[in-house]
Amino acid sequence: QDEFAPIVAAEDGRITSIELVQGTLCVKTGDIVKKGDKLVLPYVINSNGEEQKIMPKAKIYADVWLTSEINHNSYYEEKFRTGKKTVKNEVLLCGLKIYDNNQTCSFEEYDTVIKDKKITENNILPFILRETIYYELASRVVEESFEDAKDKILEECKQNNLQKLGDYEIIKKENVIIKQAGNITTVIYTSVVSREIGG
C-alpha cells in the first residue's frame, strides 16, 4: 500500500504546458524530455518537511516530433518480366497429383503465379486443375534523378507522418532536411504536434 509510480514521459518532446494536480514536478515548461523520463514524482513534502506518498496526477503537454525518412538512389536495379513464360499443368485429386504435363522451368530468375480451378463439369470427384506460370525475370538499371522524384518523396513522407497523428491532433509546423551523399539523397521530414505525454 501507498506505493505509487511516478508519471513518466510517454515519448520524446518539448514540454509546452503543465497542469499539476498533485505530486512533485521534476520538469518545467520548455524542458526537452525523452521517453521514460520522470515528470511527476509520487510524493509531496508536508508542513513538517517530511516526504508523504501520494498518487501523482497531472496533465502535461509537449511538442512532439514526428519524423519520416526516405532514401532515394538516382540509380537502382529493378527486376522486370521479359515476356517469356513456361506453363505447367497438373491435375490433383484430394491433394494428390494424378497428371503432370512435365513442363519444367529453365529460367535462371523468375516469379511464379499459381492458379487452381475446380473441374466440376460431369465430375463427382473433386478434381483440381493447377496451372503454374513461370515468368522469366531480367534486371535493368533505372536512372531517376532526385529532382524528378522529389514531389513524390515529399508527399510520401507527409502521408507517413499523417498516419502517426492521434485523433484531433493538428500539425503545428513542418520541416524538411535534404542530405546528399553520392547517388543517395536522404529526405528527413519532420512534423511538430502538440500531444499529452504524461497524465
Side-chain angles (χ1 to χ4, degrees), residues 71-75 144-146 178-186:
N71 292 319
H72 173 77
N73 194 335
S74 298
Y75 300 91
E144 182 183 34
S145 71
F146 173 70
I178 298 174
K179 298 179 180 180
Q180 183 81 36
N183 295 329
I184 307 296
T185 304
T186 301

Side-chain angles (χ1 to χ4, degrees), residues 12-195:
D12 301 349
R14 185 194 302 273
I15 294 175
T16 55
S17 70
I18 300 171
E19 297 176 23
L20 178 66
V21 178
Q22 59 188 36
T24 299
L25 273 175
C26 299
V27 292
K28 62 184 183 300
T29 301
D31 285 354
I32 293 176
V33 296
K34 293 184 177 181
K35 183 178 180 179
D37 285 353
K38 292 178 181 179
L39 304 178
V40 183
L41 298 176
Y43 64 81
V44 293
I45 304 299
N46 62 23
S47 57
N48 296 323
E50 298 170 335
E51 189 177 291
Q52 181 180 339
K53 301 289 187 182
I54 194 169
M55 172 73 76
K57 294 181 182 179
K59 281 190 175 182
I60 300 177
Y61 286 83
D63 282 346
V64 173
W65 302 279
L66 309 178
T67 301
S68 179
E69 182 174 323
I70 292 179
N71 292 319
H72 173 77
N73 194 335
S74 298
Y75 300 91
Y76 63 93
E77 186 180 275
E78 73 170 8
K79 302 290 185 183
F80 69 97
R81 290 179 179 178
T82 65
K84 296 180 181 179
K85 64 181 181 180
T86 298
V87 180
K88 180 176 183 177
N89 290 315
E90 300 168 289
V91 176
L92 308 177
L93 176 61
C94 299
L96 298 175
K97 181 167 62 176
I98 61 172
Y99 169 78
D100 186 335
N101 68 350
N102 292 319
Q103 284 290 330
T104 58
C105 178
S106 59
F107 305 138
E108 288 187 10
E109 292 187 272
Y110 57 89
D111 62 11
T112 307
V113 175
I114 298 175
K115 300 177 182 178
D116 284 350
K117 180 181 178 181
K118 292 182 179 179
I119 306 174
T120 55
E121 188 175 349
N122 299 324
N123 282 310
I124 300 174
L125 296 174
F127 287 104
I128 298 290
L129 173 63
R130 172 165 294 171
E131 182 182 65
T132 304
I133 307 172
Y134 302 96
Y135 294 96
E136 184 184 39
L137 296 178
S139 300
R140 62 187 171 200
V141 174
V142 178
E143 180 178 354
E144 182 183 34
S145 71
F146 173 70
E147 288 304 317
D148 289 342
K150 183 177 179 180
D151 290 343
K152 178 181 67 177
I153 292 171
L154 290 176
E155 182 60 26
E156 184 178 345
C157 286
K158 185 172 184 177
Q159 291 302 318
N160 288 343
N161 281 359
L162 287 174
Q163 291 177 14
K164 300 173 187 176
L165 287 179
D167 293 339
Y168 310 113
E169 287 185 338
I170 297 173
I171 293 174
K172 297 172 63 176
K173 188 168 60 175
E174 293 176 300
N175 183 50
V176 178
I177 297 173
I178 298 174
K179 298 179 180 180
Q180 183 81 36
N183 295 329
I184 307 296
T185 304
T186 301
V187 176
I188 304 171
Y189 194 101
T190 304
S191 305
V192 180
V193 300
S194 180
R195 177 174 293 176

